């Protein structure tokens, strides 16, 4: 039995495949418009929250129009509240739920082509309207002739071709960006290769099925953590059939409370399950947004999506206990040592900047929920760290940051006052009773507890602690002195404005010459493009020149 078809209005990227030239135009037009809008806001000094919301909403619409590659980029950026204004984070977060479905006829065509049978031969019932829709595919509920309730995940048609086009366009943009030394030193080429490698892995549903089975095996002794069974006879690279496990969306506080679910237990399950994935298994779900997690009426936690799994080096339990107590003691060196061991921070020669970031996190977020606005305090430190000693965090570390910040957001939606250490307590307790090495683990636990008590009662008064902290910062090279020279600052600012004025003048002249050159060719209609650019660069030139004149007059007044 087939249910009613869905009404479908395709977006541009869901139609016939575009050429590379058309795709270039689409991407560059969106990027140019967005950069121009930001420049205009800066020119008119319009930094209001309302304006940022307007820009963010426009950007989300354009990312949806550009398709899966840019939707995935937006979803990744939606967790980076330390880098983006809160208005952009809020709007980009909606990309998790607002990705439109594609035609049910197309979905059925993909299923029949991949599995080699008609939809009525494969399933006793099949719902045309999708249960959920994501950037790379959509899910339909169905029932097998053997009686099992299942969900069928179908990949969007033409994804691989679209990815190849975007792969080429983004690569060209990066090659242009790498002309600038300020960009080249961050090794964006490696980041780009990693991102697209993960995208191509995510559209391999056979790999996702294997990930789901591995996840189930890791939690087979944990009955309150659920993962669906894979039906391999109904699974290919583009179709994935899984056990149907219904549940309430994990961040739906009102519904969970109405059903009598204990929210504190849900938070503990989420935190402890991720600590196990990260520290014991070394294999974790790197995209735990609310659409990928649910809670059933028994309060059990259900995981759905296994396309974006990541691996890290697991930590020995004794070292894990030392690290937990290092967090309690705010022992920055021990925490950094563990991060280096797990491969989450590259062991560069000078880790003083990294220690400052870790110390900031321990001081501000150890005993309370993460306040994303508090990252403004450390944003300058992060910028200086990459400017003075740029290095790229391994991909696993960015996945962990994304996972933990998303998980923290889910926990705060359920209980704004939740405590991370309290929520992780069941996991810490489980370490000492899980296997035959319990005696050694209990001894390590007792030793770390004794050290914590000793450090607490021998910390000294406030003055002594400040002196010891100053001594530590000097030894670690964390102490910095800032010396300002107003005269040099004014000179550097004039030089900067002068160079910017010269560049804009050059670009204006070059655009005018290019337009004049095109007028004498068969492509004379295209001359409007460089003419338009010359007008834009001319505005930039006027603004820079006026700013330079004003700065020179202010400097003369200051020198008198």
């Amino acid at each position: 039995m087939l249910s009613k078809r869905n009404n479908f209005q395709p977006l541009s990227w869901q139609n016939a495949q575009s050429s590379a030239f058309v795709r270039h135009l689409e991407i560059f037009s969106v990027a140019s418009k967005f950069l121009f809008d930001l420049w205009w806001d800066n020119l008119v000094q319009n930094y209001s929250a309302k304006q940022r919301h307007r820009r963010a909403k426009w950007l989300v619409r354009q990312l949806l129009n550009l398709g899966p590659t840019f939707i995935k980029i937006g979803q990744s950026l939606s967790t980076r509240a330390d880098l983006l204004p809160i208005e952009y984070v809020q709007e980009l977060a909606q990309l998790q739920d607002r990705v439109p479905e594609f035609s049910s006829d197309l979905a059925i065509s993909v299923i029949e082509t991949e599995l080699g049978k008609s939809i009525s031969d494969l399933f006793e019932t099949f719902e045309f309207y999708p249960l959920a829709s994501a950037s790379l595919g959509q899910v339909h509920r169905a029932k097998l002739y053997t009686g099992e309730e299942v969900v069928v995940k179908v990949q969007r048609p033409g994804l691989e071709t679209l990815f190849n086009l975007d792969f080429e366009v983004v690569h060209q943009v990066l090659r242009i960006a790498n002309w600038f030394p300020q960009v080249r030193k961050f090794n964006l080429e490696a980041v780009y290769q990693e991102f697209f490698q993960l995208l191509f892995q995510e559209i391999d549903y056979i790999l996702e099925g294997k990930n789901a089975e591995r996840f189930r095996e890791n939690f087979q002794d944990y009955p309150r953590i659920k993962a669906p069974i894979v039906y391999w006879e109904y699974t290919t690279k583009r179709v994935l059939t899984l056990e149907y496990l219904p549940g309430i969306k994990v961040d739906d506080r009102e519904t969970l409370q109405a059903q009598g679910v204990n929210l504190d237990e849900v938070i503990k399950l989420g935190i402890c399950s991720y600590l196990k994935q990260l520290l014991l298994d070394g294999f974790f779900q790197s995209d735990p947004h609310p659409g990928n997690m649910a809670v059933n009426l028994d309060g059990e936690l259900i995981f759905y999506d296994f396309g974006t799994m990541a691996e890290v080096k697991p930590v020995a339990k004794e070292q894990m206990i030392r690290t937990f107590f290092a967090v309690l003691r705010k022992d920055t060196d021990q925490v950094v040592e563990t991060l280096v061991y797990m491969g989450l921070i590259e062991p560069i020669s000078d880790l003083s900047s990294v220690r400052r970031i870790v110390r900031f996190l321990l001081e501000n977020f150890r005993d309370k929920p993460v306040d994303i606005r508090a990252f403004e305090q450390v944003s300058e430190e992060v910028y200086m760290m990459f400017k003075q000693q740029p290095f790229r965090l391994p991909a696993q570390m960015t996945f962990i940051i994304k996972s933990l910040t998303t998980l923290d957001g889910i926990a705060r939606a359920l209980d704004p006052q939740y405590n991370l250490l309290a929520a992780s307590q069941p996991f810490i307790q489980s370490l000492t009773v899980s296997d035959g090495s319990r005696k050694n683990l209990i001894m390590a636990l007792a030793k770390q507890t004794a050290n914590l008590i000793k450090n607490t009662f021998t910390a000294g008064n406030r003055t002594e602690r400040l002196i010891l902290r100053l001594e530590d910062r000097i030894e670690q090279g964390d102490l910095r002195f800032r010396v300002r020279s107003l005269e040099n600052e004014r000179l550097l600012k004039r030089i900067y404005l002068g160079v910017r004025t010269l560049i804009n003048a050059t670009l204006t002249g070059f655009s005018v010459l290019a337009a004049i050159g095109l007028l004498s060719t068969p492509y004379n209609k295209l001359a409007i493009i460089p003419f338009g650019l010359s007008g834009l660069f001319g505005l930039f030139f006027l603004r820079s020149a006026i700013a330079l004149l004003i700065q020179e007059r202010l400097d003369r007044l200051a020198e008198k």
Side-chain angles (χ1 to χ4, degrees), residues 512-525:
V512 170
L513 290 174
I516 293 172
L518 281 172
L519 288 174
S520 59
T521 68
Y523 304 101
N524 53 11
K525 292 183 179 179

Side-chain angles (χ1 to χ4, degrees), residues 244-281:
Y244 176 56
L245 293 176
I248 304 165
K249 203 170 179 181
V250 71
D251 64 344
D252 189 349
R253 180 178 179 176
E254 292 183 1
T255 305
L256 290 171
Q257 284 182 321
Q259 295 296 329
V261 176
N262 188 323
L263 299 185
D264 288 337
E265 288 300 314
V266 172
I267 293 173
K268 287 180 181 179
L269 268 180
I271 298 295
C272 292
S273 67
Y274 258 86
L275 289 173
K276 180 186 182 302
Q277 292 175 56
L278 180 60
L279 300 176
L280 290 181
D281 305 330

Side-chain angles (χ1 to χ4, degrees), residues 37 114 128 306 438 482 489:
D37 289 342
E114 290 291 310
F128 275 86
F306 305 94
R438 186 172 75 175
R482 295 184 180 179
E489 285 183 6

Side-chain angles (χ1 to χ4, degrees), residues 92-106:
L92 289 169
Q94 297 182 40
L95 285 171
Q96 310 290 1
D97 302 312
R98 286 176 50 192
V99 183
E101 69 272 6
F102 58 94
S103 165
S104 297
D105 291 330
L106 278 176

Side-chain angles (χ1 to χ4, degrees), residues 153-355:
K153 186 174 180 179
V154 190
Q155 190 178 116
R156 292 180 182 273
L159 268 190
E160 193 166 349
T161 303
L162 188 65
F163 281 174
N164 283 324
L165 276 174
D166 292 344
F167 190 81
E168 177 187 344
V169 175
V170 176
H171 201 191
Q172 289 185 6
V173 173
L174 277 184
R175 281 200 293 263
I176 294 172
N178 279 331
W179 292 348
F180 303 96
Q182 297 89 340
V183 174
R184 193 185 310 125
K185 65 184 179 182
F186 291 109
N187 196 14
L188 291 181
E189 179 78 20
V191 176
Y192 150 82
Q193 294 288 348
E194 266 176 11
F195 178 78
F196 276 95
Q197 182 182 1
L198 288 169
L199 272 185
F200 280 107
Q201 287 178 4
E202 200 171 345
I203 61 175
D204 184 351
Y205 285 173
I206 292 178
L207 178 61
E208 181 174 347
K210 292 178 180 177
N211 288 340
E213 285 199 333
R214 181 175 171 184
F215 187 94
R216 274 178 56 83
E217 289 173 5
N218 288 342
F219 282 94
Q220 61 185 351
D221 297 326
Y222 296 80
R224 300 194 65 197
I225 303 295
K226 302 291 184 183
I229 298 169
V230 182
Y231 292 90
W232 286 109
E233 61 269 34
Y234 300 94
T235 295
T236 68
K237 188 175 180 181
R238 298 173 62 200
V239 175
L240 176 63
T241 304
L242 301 166
E243 176 187 9
Y244 176 56
L245 293 176
I248 304 165
K249 203 170 179 181
V250 71
D251 64 344
D252 189 349
R253 180 178 179 176
E254 292 183 1
T255 305
L256 290 171
Q257 284 182 321
Q259 295 296 329
V261 176
N262 188 323
L263 299 185
D264 288 337
E265 288 300 314
V266 172
I267 293 173
K268 287 180 181 179
L269 268 180
I271 298 295
C272 292
S273 67
Y274 258 86
L275 289 173
K276 180 186 182 302
Q277 292 175 56
L278 180 60
L279 300 176
L280 290 181
D281 305 330
F283 181 72
F284 66 98
Q285 188 192 52
S286 62
D287 190 21
H289 66 77
N292 289 342
M293 300 169 70
V295 181
N296 64 21
L297 296 180
D298 295 324
E300 298 168 337
L301 191 62
I302 307 168
F303 287 84
Y304 291 130
D305 194 326
F306 305 94
T308 54
M309 306 297 288
E311 294 192 61
V312 294
K313 188 175 182 179
V315 181
K317 293 179 182 177
E318 292 88 345
Q319 183 174 358
M320 205 181 301
I321 289 175
R322 288 198 301 271
T323 304
F324 275 121
F325 276 89
V327 172
L328 289 174
R329 296 193 310 269
K330 301 181 182 178
D331 185 346
T332 304
D333 289 336
Q334 177 65 53
V335 175
V336 171
E337 180 184 325
T338 301
L339 294 175
V340 171
Y341 169 81
M342 294 177 71
L344 301 180
I345 293 178
E346 293 181 357
I348 58 177
S349 58
D350 181 10
L351 286 170
S352 58
S353 295
V354 178
R355 288 191 184 93

Side-chain angles (χ1 to χ4, degrees), residues 21-35 66 169-170 172-173 176:
F21 177 73
V22 171
R23 192 63 177 164
H24 273 76
L25 285 180
E26 290 174 346
I27 294 170
F28 278 105
S29 63
V30 170
S32 302
K33 172 71 165 56
F34 183 62
L35 291 174
L66 286 176
V169 175
V170 176
Q172 289 185 6
V173 173
I176 294 172

